[in-house]
Amino acid sequence: MTDKKQTPQEIFNTIAPNYDYMNNVISLGTHKAWRKKVAKTMPIPKGSYVLDLCCGTADWTIHHAQTVGPSGHVVGLDFSENMLKIADQKVVELHLGKEITLVQGDAMATTYPDNTFDYVTIGFGLRNLPDKIAGLKEMYRVLKHGGSVIILETSQPDNPIVRPAWRFYFSKVMPLLGKVLTKQQAEYKYLDETTEEFMSYQELVDVMTEIGFNEVHFERYNLGAAAAHFGTK
């Protein structure tokens, strides 16, 4: 069992040094392809003001900054100081300090006024929020009217042939990789648990609609291993 005394923030602080490496190993590099597909479905225009929640080591934050250009700006927010340290190194190396602001904060209760951002994104972070509904409501609150939300998250295949293999990989293989490669089996077991317990792609559509998002739709990737949800305010 996962050590329940360790908070999600502590878990991500622990795995931060190996996060990018393990993300590539565990997803077999597909997380990069998923982001590219999302960008094609809902491209973010130049000059946009973007909030990237649970930004982690800032891969998606950096992509947004390169997309919106100098006339736009991206705020990357995460609760893990260790993740943000790595993110800051990337931002400095890429000379994107003017385009990106990194903030340590709570995705369920940010300090931004209502109707602030053109886009709010969250990649592989919603499932880790203690209160997913509060997080979604906060995204809605800080979006401008007419603004859009983009949620990229691991999902649960419902194909009876694919699902058992997916469950075996996440419940057995992923924690084993964490143990062998980083000596962090418990932390990667936690990530499996959050994936298994997360709402289905259709449940997320229903919740987003109930909160008030319009034009809610989704795309599924890799036979349902991941899904992107889109909505407007």
Side-chain angles (χ1 to χ4, degrees), residues 14 18 22 175-188:
T14 299
N18 299 303
M22 287 298 295
L176 180 61
L177 288 173
K179 178 181 180 180
V180 172
L181 298 177
T182 68
K183 295 182 171 57
Q184 294 168 346
Q185 183 176 16
E187 286 79 5
Y188 283 92

Side-chain angles (χ1 to χ4, degrees), residues 126-147:
L126 181 59
R127 72 179 189 273
N128 294 306
L129 297 184
D131 189 335
K132 283 79 171 166
I133 306 302
L136 289 165
K137 288 181 177 179
E138 183 67 358
M139 294 175 210
Y140 185 87
R141 184 186 71 79
V142 299
L143 264 181
K144 293 178 181 177
H145 291 287

Side-chain angles (χ1 to χ4, degrees), residues 30-54:
T30 53
H31 68 98
K32 297 176 182 178
W34 295 338
R35 289 192 180 99
K36 289 180 180 178
K37 290 179 180 179
V38 169
K40 288 183 179 180
T41 300
M42 185 175 283
I44 298 178
K46 290 186 180 300
S48 298
Y49 190 25
V50 182
L51 173 62
D52 186 30
L53 295 171
C54 302

Side-chain angles (χ1 to χ4, degrees), residues 187-200:
E187 286 79 5
Y188 283 92
K189 179 61 177 174
Y190 162 82
L191 296 180
D192 161 59
E193 291 169 355
T194 60
T195 300
E196 173 65 13
E197 295 167 2
F198 189 59
M199 66 187 82
S200 71

Side-chain angles (χ1 to χ4, degrees), residues 187-233:
E187 286 79 5
Y188 283 92
K189 179 61 177 174
Y190 162 82
L191 296 180
D192 161 59
E193 291 169 355
T194 60
T195 300
E196 173 65 13
E197 295 167 2
F198 189 59
M199 66 187 82
S200 71
Y201 60 91
Q202 187 56 56
E203 287 172 334
L204 182 51
V205 169
D206 295 340
V207 171
M208 291 174 67
T209 302
E210 288 175 6
I211 287 172
F213 287 106
N214 300 310
E215 302 173 8
V216 178
H217 59 287
F218 64 89
E219 291 184 348
R220 302 181 77 193
Y221 310 128
N222 290 51
L223 299 173
H229 286 69
F230 309 90
T232 60
K233 179 175 178 179

Side-chain angles (χ1 to χ4, degrees), residues 11-166:
I11 287 171
F12 280 93
N13 276 334
T14 299
I15 67 175
N18 299 303
Y19 182 79
D20 286 339
Y21 168 67
M22 287 298 295
N23 207 15
N24 285 326
V25 170
I26 290 170
S27 73
L28 304 177
T30 53
H31 68 98
K32 297 176 182 178
W34 295 338
R35 289 192 180 99
K36 289 180 180 178
K37 290 179 180 179
V38 169
K40 288 183 179 180
T41 300
M42 185 175 283
I44 298 178
K46 290 186 180 300
S48 298
Y49 190 25
V50 182
L51 173 62
D52 186 30
L53 295 171
C54 302
C55 69
T57 60
D59 280 352
W60 215 10
T61 310
I62 289 168
H63 172 80
H64 294 333
Q66 293 169 333
T67 300
V68 303
S71 60
H73 196 80
V74 183
V75 176
L77 182 146
D78 201 277
F79 63 1
S80 167
E81 57 267 32
N82 290 352
M83 287 285 200
L84 289 171
K85 287 178 183 177
I86 296 171
D88 185 60
Q89 292 172 1
K90 293 181 181 180
V91 170
V92 170
E93 290 172 1
L94 292 171
H95 307 288
L96 290 172
K98 292 182 179 180
E99 289 84 1
I100 293 175
T101 300
L102 296 174
V103 177
Q104 185 175 6
D106 183 352
M108 299 176 294
T110 72
T111 59
Y112 300 102
D114 295 356
N115 311 310
T116 297
F117 296 94
D118 300 305
Y119 288 83
V120 176
T121 67
I122 182 167
F124 310 110
L126 181 59
R127 72 179 189 273
N128 294 306
L129 297 184
D131 189 335
K132 283 79 171 166
I133 306 302
L136 289 165
K137 288 181 177 179
E138 183 67 358
M139 294 175 210
Y140 185 87
R141 184 186 71 79
V142 299
L143 264 181
K144 293 178 181 177
H145 291 287
S148 297
V149 64
I150 305 173
I151 301 168
L152 178 58
E153 190 55 87
T154 52
S155 190
Q156 301 174 15
D158 44 22
N159 183 295
I161 297 176
V162 174
R163 184 171 174 78
W166 177 88

